[in-house]
Amino acid sequence: MLLPPLPDDLRRQEPHAPVVEGQPVISILARERQALDRANARQGRTVTFYDDLIKKYGSRP
């Protein structure tokens, strides 16, 4: 059985937001939360990809 390749996007790691001296902490926190949102969305796409594989090919006993 050949499985489809994992989309490249799902292998990517999300970097932390850069900390720039002199910037307000709230702006750094906002960028960090955006990064977390992107990471969580990617994880959701990974789960969907896996669930689609299970539906198509079945799971192992």
Side-chain angles (χ1 to χ4, degrees):
M1 164 174 59
L2 293 176
L3 297 176
L6 186 68
D8 290 338
D9 173 57
L10 303 183
R11 294 185 185 279
R12 190 174 352 155
Q13 294 287 310
E14 190 67 43
H16 287 281
V19 177
V20 179
E21 193 169 333
Q23 281 190 329
V25 174
I26 193 73
S27 68
I28 297 166
L29 178 59
R31 287 195 317 277
E32 189 68 21
R33 289 182 60 94
Q34 290 171 345
L36 180 59
D37 288 345
R38 288 190 301 272
N40 285 341
R42 187 167 32 259
Q43 192 247 358
R45 291 191 302 276
T46 302
V47 170
T48 299
F49 179 83
Y50 180 79
D51 288 346
D52 288 346
L53 287 178
I54 294 300
K55 287 177 190 170
K56 188 170 185 177
Y57 298 105
S59 63
R60 294 184 133 183

